[in-house]
Amino acid sequence: MNLNNFKKIIDRTIVDRGYNYYIEGNVLEAYEQSENEYIFHIEGSDDYEVLVELGDNGEILYSECDCPYDFGPVCKHEVAAYYQLVQMINNKATTNHLTNKPRKRATIQEVLSNLSKEELIDIIIDFANDDATLEKSLIVRYSTGNQQQELGGCQELIQSIVRKYAGREGFINYRNAGAFVSEMEGVLDKARSTEDSLVALDIVMLLLEEAIGAFQYADDSNGDIGFLVKETLEMIEEIATSQNGMDQRAEIFEKLVAQTDHDMFEGWEDFKIDLLTILLEFADDEIHREQLRLKLESMLDHKSSERYTQYSNESILQLLFQLTEQYGTHEEAERFIHEHLQFSSFREQLLDQYLQEKKYHKVIEVAKEGEMQDQQYPGLVSQWKKFRYTAYKFLSLKEEQQILAKELLFNGDFEYYRDLKELAAENQDSFYRNLKSELKTAKGWYTNQVYLKLIEEENDLEELLEFVRNNPSYIENYAEKLFHTFKEEVIEVYKNYLYSAASASSNRREYQGVCRKITKYRKFAGKPKQIELIDELIDLYKKRPAFVDELGQVK
């Protein structure tokens, strides 16, 4: 998109609204931040910032607005900025100082560095008076007090940040989640600068409780809240591993053990496991190790058969195994694995061990047991079959290898095709034909995808064209591959596909999607046929003005 033609490309309604913003003076400020990168402040329902980066000949390389508009690629504020930018460039071109760059706005650092201490204090106080959260943040970060004062200040700051972002609705949307987390990270900074490790740990545990609780009142679509929890757990680990004194280590260990019973972990077992994993750092002390072992054993639920409970049990048992492996005997570690083969991670560990020891018959035995045990879980069955296949391969059991490779292939693991082909030796042509025929008639999503990969692998263009005829939506993926051999057929399938896509569209966003497909179609059909198709669609859908409008912009 270029500054000279943006009005033709952007939705007409958005262009009109942006132009009104421009002529009514809603562009409050405009300046060149760096070479060919411009900043605009636009007044709307709120004040928004637009960033535009220009390339050669006025090409708009990048454009972004921080408003919440998400119904199209460009908002009215960006359009207003484009109009303002055209004016700026035209004004620049008509001056006598063409070689001079526009004057840059001073940076915040440059402005503040020229102020006195008293002026800076006044500015900070003015901002703090307008923002209670900022005031609490400054006090918490830069003041010192006793333990209760430190914790109380952090608790107040955390609640203030929550109130600021959750507002009356009591919910933080995904657009504000990043800013919310950014302010919460100030509490981590406070903990990091606190010399007393026990106080620092208390502060971090306050934050962890709120961060986990935030999943209930914040949209974590962007993963910001999860990142805050991860950062907080990392800080706990940092505190735990940095202690050398026996007394302080013991106190931190006791605090962390007690925290594993906190109700904040209800429904969030993974985070509890993360905290328990940190406690392994203290297992070099025999007393701590025994306390941790007893704690872990008390958390096992031997009665429930629910899948989630079994997952939790498996995670706890893995921690117990780490203790046994590191501080027990080799025989104890072996026995522990064999006692818990009902859990997939222990079976996998044993199979890996047998493979390393080249005990291939043992691999086959343990893998088959797993297939029987986990037959209601296809993913696990496939995993055990792969171990069994590896053992067959090392033992050169080609017949067993061939049967199992075919099973795995038909379950969607295409990696086994090359092995099957190699095993077919001199009969590869008939092997391919027979396999292709079997896959075409077999039922299931996996076999359909394997069939497609197969004909791609063998560059079977005739078969691929037949597949695309029966599945027209794939033409976008395979037009390039098929075009040179089947030019007219590709154009015909593509055209029919576009007619079908147009018929199924019913709103502007879907119309725009169809138009993007038509743009790709031009590469194969050429501009005359593209225009012919557009004219036919305009005539066919003249009662859909929005669609006609979008089609007109493709021309």
Side-chain angles (χ1 to χ4, degrees):
M1 185 168 63
N2 196 286
L3 271 182
N4 297 318
N5 68 359
F6 73 87
K7 297 185 284 295
K8 297 178 182 178
I9 295 172
I10 301 168
D11 180 271
R12 193 169 299 163
T13 302
I14 299 301
V15 170
D16 291 343
R17 290 175 182 171
Y19 181 70
N20 288 337
Y21 264 46
Y22 164 68
I23 61 173
E24 289 169 8
N26 287 52
V27 182
L28 302 178
E29 187 178 19
Y31 60 92
E32 188 175 8
Q33 179 174 251
S34 59
E35 188 171 1
N36 292 330
E37 188 173 282
Y38 298 85
I39 296 290
F40 303 85
H41 291 124
I42 317 289
E43 183 181 31
S45 54
D46 203 338
D47 288 346
Y48 300 110
E49 183 176 273
V50 174
L51 168 66
V52 180
E53 183 181 347
L54 284 187
D56 296 335
N57 303 317
E59 197 68 24
I60 299 173
L61 301 178
Y62 180 77
S63 175
E64 181 185 42
C65 178
D66 60 3
C67 77
Y69 178 77
D70 59 0
F71 295 103
V74 177
C75 69
K76 59 189 175 185
H77 311 106
E78 288 170 277
V79 171
Y82 299 161
Y83 277 111
Q84 185 70 38
L85 187 50
V86 170
Q87 180 187 324
M88 291 168 66
I89 290 173
N90 289 340
N91 289 345
K92 178 181 176 182
T94 56
T95 63
N96 295 323
H97 305 285
L98 296 179
T99 57
N100 292 338
K101 292 182 180 179
R103 184 169 176 256
K104 307 289 192 304
R105 188 175 69 166
T107 65
I108 186 69
Q109 185 174 357
E110 290 169 341
V111 172
L112 295 180
S113 63
N114 292 321
L115 300 179
S116 67
K117 178 181 177 181
E118 290 73 19
E119 287 173 314
L120 290 172
I121 291 172
D122 287 341
I123 289 171
I124 293 170
I125 290 173
D126 283 342
F127 278 114
N129 286 338
D130 292 333
D131 188 337
T133 303
L134 175 61
E135 181 180 3
K136 288 182 173 62
S137 178
L138 291 169
I139 292 171
V140 164
R141 187 174 297 190
Y142 299 110
S143 68
T144 55
N146 59 40
Q147 180 175 349
Q148 288 305 115
Q149 288 172 331
E150 296 276 14
L151 289 177
C154 288
Q155 183 69 68
E156 285 183 22
L157 174 58
I158 288 170
Q159 294 308 314
S160 177
I161 295 170
V162 172
R163 286 193 299 272
K164 175 179 176 179
Y165 286 93
R168 293 179 181 177
E169 296 82 11
F171 187 79
I172 302 172
N173 64 43
Y174 76 93
R175 292 189 189 91
N176 293 325
F180 166 74
V181 166
S182 181
E183 292 210 33
M184 283 293 197
E185 287 172 331
V187 181
L188 278 180
D189 291 337
K190 174 63 179 179
R192 203 168 276 114
S193 63
T194 300
E195 292 184 6
D196 189 325
S197 297
L198 293 170
V199 177
L201 184 59
D202 285 338
I203 292 171
V204 178
M205 292 310 303
L206 282 176
L207 182 60
L208 180 63
E209 182 179 358
E210 193 62 52
I212 293 175
F215 286 113
Q216 306 301 321
Y217 61 77
D219 182 343
D220 194 37
S221 299
N222 294 329
D224 297 300
I225 308 300
F227 180 73
L228 178 61
V229 173
K230 180 175 178 289
E231 274 192 301
T232 307
L233 286 164
E234 286 174 354
M235 183 67 190
I236 293 171
E237 184 175 15
E238 187 180 318
I239 293 170
T241 55
S242 64
Q243 305 311 307
N244 296 317
M246 294 296 293
D247 291 342
Q248 197 160 50
R249 272 191 103 215
E251 284 189 72
I252 288 176
F253 176 79
E254 294 296 338
K255 272 182 178 287
L256 291 178
V257 170
Q259 286 295 331
T260 60
D261 291 326
H262 199 292
D263 58 10
M264 68 172 142
F265 294 113
E266 189 173 340
W268 301 98
E269 290 296 318
D270 283 350
F271 298 139
K272 181 189 281 192
I273 296 298
D274 288 337
L275 189 58
L276 288 163
T277 303
I278 292 170
L279 284 166
L280 291 175
E281 296 289 341
F282 299 85
D284 56 338
D285 180 276
E286 187 177 353
I287 295 173
H288 292 158
R289 182 164 67 249
E290 188 57 28
Q291 283 180 277
L292 179 56
R293 187 189 307 278
L294 292 172
K295 180 66 181 176
L296 290 168
E297 288 175 349
S298 72
M299 294 171 66
L300 291 169
D301 186 342
H302 299 287
K303 296 179 181 179
S304 175
S305 59
E306 291 182 10
R307 184 73 176 156
Y308 185 76
T309 303
Q310 292 305 302
Y311 166 76
S312 176
N313 281 346
E314 185 172 4
S315 300
I316 294 167
L317 286 166
Q318 277 294 339
L319 295 178
L320 282 166
F321 175 69
Q322 287 184 54
L323 289 176
T324 304
E325 187 178 39
Q326 189 168 357
Y327 300 101
T329 65
H330 177 72
E331 290 73 20
E332 287 172 332
E334 285 276 306
R335 187 163 59 250
F336 195 100
I337 290 178
H338 282 275
E339 287 173 353
H340 299 99
L341 288 180
Q342 71 271 32
F343 296 103
S344 60
S345 60
F346 288 102
R347 187 173 297 277
E348 186 175 355
Q349 281 174 269
L350 183 60
L351 286 165
D352 281 331
Q353 179 184 319
Y354 282 154
L355 279 177
Q356 289 176 13
E357 295 170 353
K358 299 183 179 180
K359 296 178 179 178
Y360 302 123
H361 290 287
K362 284 284 189 183
V363 171
I364 294 168
E365 179 188 330
V366 174
K368 281 185 173 180
E369 289 172 359
E371 291 168 45
M372 288 293 294
Q373 173 191 284
D374 299 318
Q375 53 190 303
Q376 71 271 40
Y377 305 114
L380 283 176
V381 171
S382 178
Q383 185 177 341
W384 307 142
K385 284 182 177 180
K386 289 177 182 179
F387 275 104
R388 184 154 59 94
Y389 178 82
T390 302
Y392 287 153
K393 194 170 183 178
F394 277 116
L395 292 169
S396 297
L397 298 174
K398 294 191 176 181
E399 185 177 345
E400 291 88 344
Q401 188 183 341
Q402 196 166 18
I403 293 169
L404 189 52
K406 192 171 181 181
E407 279 183 42
L408 289 163
L409 176 68
F410 273 63
N411 283 330
D413 291 303
F414 191 75
E415 61 193 272
Y416 292 93
Y417 171 64
R418 292 180 184 86
D419 277 8
L420 270 175
K421 186 177 179 180
E422 188 177 320
L423 289 165
E426 298 174 1
N427 302 314
Q428 288 187 4
D429 288 341
S430 60
F431 160 74
Y432 171 66
R433 287 195 302 272
N434 292 335
L435 183 61
K436 182 172 64 173
S437 178
E438 282 186 69
L439 285 167
K440 283 179 75 172
T441 55
K443 294 181 179 179
W445 185 86
Y446 283 136
T447 50
N448 188 52
Q449 292 303 306
V450 170
Y451 162 72
L452 186 55
K453 286 184 180 178
L454 175 67
I455 59 179
E456 280 189 80
E457 174 82 8
E458 297 297 337
N459 201 33
D460 191 340
L461 297 184
E462 287 188 6
E463 195 73 30
L464 188 57
L465 178 63
E466 182 63 25
F467 177 84
V468 171
R469 282 198 188 103
N470 296 324
N471 303 273
S473 63
Y474 282 85
I475 189 64
E476 290 189 89
N477 301 85
Y478 297 112
E480 188 85 47
K481 193 177 186 72
L482 295 168
F483 182 70
H484 294 294
T485 309
F486 305 107
K487 180 178 178 180
E488 295 305 321
E489 290 93 334
V490 166
I491 293 171
E492 184 64 24
V493 173
Y494 218 133
K495 183 178 179 180
N496 291 334
Y497 165 62
L498 292 173
Y499 268 111
S500 176
S503 176
S505 61
S506 59
N507 58 57
R508 188 174 286 272
R509 182 167 289 185
E510 290 174 355
Y511 300 152
Q512 289 169 345
V514 173
C515 290
R516 284 193 291 272
K517 296 176 192 296
I518 292 172
T519 301
K520 293 180 183 177
Y521 171 69
R522 175 179 172 177
K523 179 179 179 181
F524 304 100
K527 188 167 184 178
K529 286 191 177 181
Q530 181 199 42
I531 292 173
E532 180 184 325
L533 172 65
I534 291 170
D535 289 339
E536 289 172 4
L537 290 173
I538 287 174
D539 186 57
L540 189 59
Y541 296 105
K542 55 191 172 188
K543 292 184 179 180
R544 297 186 192 176
F547 195 11
V548 172
D549 177 40
E550 293 296 336
L551 288 166
Q553 294 186 42
V554 177
K555 283 186 173 184

